[in-house]
Amino acid sequence: MDSSTAYNIEQRIRDAGSLPEIDYQNQLSRIEEKFQIWKNKEFLERSTIFEKVACLSRCHGDSLSEWVISEMGILLEKSELSFI
């Protein structure tokens, strides 16, 4: 699916429409860029990252959950998209 189609679907699904198409395209580009970084990592490197996250989750699940929630709050505050 191309980014223009994704944008149009998003606009129909959500009525907010507060993110201009160019900003939406830029956001999709950043997502694709980050995914390419992840995709280009070797399997063992990705596996190590998952092992670390699993260990942190087992040992510090509550703290990890609080941190994720806190970070998501920061991201939502700084995001260009406002939820109605």
Side-chain angles (χ1 to χ4, degrees):
M1 172 184 328
D2 63 37
S3 57
S4 181
T5 302
Y7 174 77
N8 290 330
I9 291 171
E10 181 74 14
Q11 291 305 306
R12 280 185 293 223
I13 292 173
R14 304 181 77 214
D15 199 28
S18 62
L19 192 64
E21 184 170 1
I22 189 68
D23 293 337
Y24 188 86
Q25 299 290 345
N26 290 337
Q27 194 71 355
L28 283 176
S29 294
R30 285 192 290 267
I31 291 168
E32 289 172 1
E33 179 183 318
K34 300 297 181 186
F35 179 72
Q36 286 302 316
I37 292 169
W38 175 254
K39 182 178 158 184
N40 290 330
K41 290 188 179 298
E42 295 292 328
F43 175 78
L44 290 176
E45 188 176 3
R46 286 189 268 163
S47 174
T48 301
I49 292 168
F50 279 117
E51 287 174 16
K52 288 179 183 178
V53 170
C55 180
L56 286 170
S57 180
R58 281 191 302 273
C59 300
H60 307 284
D62 291 339
S63 299
L64 184 60
S65 296
E66 289 174 13
W67 177 77
V68 169
I69 290 168
S70 170
E71 288 298 310
M72 287 304 297
I74 291 170
L75 292 175
L76 289 175
E77 288 173 11
K78 292 183 178 180
S79 71
E80 297 170 352
L81 181 64
S82 61
F83 294 95
I84 298 175

